[in-house]
Amino acid sequence: MKTLTQTNSPEQKFWQLDAQLSQNPTEIAIIDTAITDLEHLLGGIKPGTATYSLDNQTDAVEQIAKILAQHTNIQNLHIISHGSPGNLYLGTTALNSSNIKNYSPQLQKWRNALTPNASIILYGCNLAAGDAGNQFLTQLNQLTGANIAANTQPTGNSKLGGNWEIQQLIPPSPQKPKLALTETTLKTYSGVLGFAPRLTSQLAMAPSPSASATSTATGNLT
């Protein structure tokens, strides 16, 4: 059975999946614990992928920066979380065009861990949709230097309107990225990676990284 081990120090707190540890991984998967059917996805991560599950009590962008500080030469960073057009939801953190520049120092740390031609693969629903999606992906590309892949449609179970058509959009490429999840997991996942409207509105009001308080979001998942 795959288990998550908490990693604690005065500077960092997050969870690491024991079964997926690799001495020098080139693939990292970051999973938000708020997603539907979390255990199913954790069990479906491909071997050799260093996998981390975020602590939802602290800023997620900073957490990822601290995780990546332990690694170099990462070719693919997979972020498995909820999304909406132009919004990447990570725990209580909502990253979008209105606040992404505030995270420039953290995103520079992301960049330092990546190879020159690395990809950031975002799994959230509808994240690339519309002008808001394109603007956000472009800014993330500029700040991290990575190729950015995301979905313009819901991600997940086809019976709920989802798919796994995650494509490299910035810069455009006809070659689809290889996902961190096994084919069996993609076919059997029961949910979609998007929030219900009530929770989306709560996350939109979450504080910026400079705020001292941490908000807690509650609501229904789709």
Side-chain angles (χ1 to χ4, degrees):
M1 180 179 178
K2 299 175 181 178
T3 58
L4 285 167
T5 299
Q6 189 173 21
T7 302
N8 270 315
S9 77
E11 299 297 328
Q12 59 192 27
K13 177 183 177 184
F14 45 82
W15 298 83
Q16 189 170 31
L17 191 58
D18 287 343
Q20 302 293 6
L21 298 185
S22 177
Q23 195 168 22
N24 295 297
T26 59
E27 305 266 343
I28 290 182
I30 306 289
I31 300 186
D32 184 358
T33 55
I35 61 176
T36 304
D37 204 2
L38 173 65
E39 291 299 325
H40 183 77
L41 291 184
L42 286 172
I45 297 291
K46 292 177 180 177
T49 304
T51 305
Y52 297 87
S53 182
L54 297 173
D55 161 33
N56 63 9
Q57 298 301 310
T58 53
D59 185 89
V61 180
E62 178 64 27
Q63 282 186 72
I64 295 173
K66 290 175 178 177
I67 289 168
L68 292 179
Q70 303 175 70
H71 299 278
T72 57
N73 298 317
I74 298 302
Q75 295 176 0
N76 291 301
L77 173 61
H78 304 264
I79 299 181
I80 305 173
S81 70
H82 291 291
S84 68
N87 288 282
L88 174 61
Y89 299 118
L90 295 164
T92 56
T93 304
L95 184 64
N96 51 50
S97 291
S98 66
N99 66 5
I100 192 169
K101 289 185 179 179
N102 297 335
Y103 284 102
S104 293
Q106 291 89 342
L107 294 174
Q108 179 61 52
K109 294 177 183 177
W110 292 24
R111 184 172 193 153
N112 294 342
L114 303 175
T115 63
N117 197 39
S119 294
I120 296 175
I121 303 164
L122 307 174
Y123 288 61
C125 283
N126 305 108
L127 212 154
D131 292 341
N134 183 71
Q135 181 181 1
F136 172 69
L137 299 188
T138 299
Q139 289 174 300
L140 187 60
N141 163 261
Q142 291 169 346
L143 289 169
T144 63
N147 304 318
I148 310 298
N151 201 342
T152 59
Q153 304 173 61
T155 305
N157 190 293
S158 60
K159 293 181 180 179
L160 299 176
N163 62 53
W164 297 97
E165 296 298 317
I166 299 172
Q167 301 180 351
Q168 182 180 313
L169 299 172
I170 307 293
S173 172
Q175 186 172 353
K176 292 182 181 179
K178 293 181 180 180
L179 303 184
L181 300 167
T182 66
E183 287 297 322
T184 298
T185 303
L186 298 180
K187 292 176 181 177
T188 56
Y189 180 58
S190 64
V192 291
L193 299 177
F195 277 127
R198 182 164 66 89
L199 186 51
T200 302
S201 64
Q202 289 176 334
L203 274 168
M205 296 185 291
S208 69
S210 61
S212 58
T214 300
S215 66
T216 302
T218 57
N220 298 318
L221 300 180
T222 57

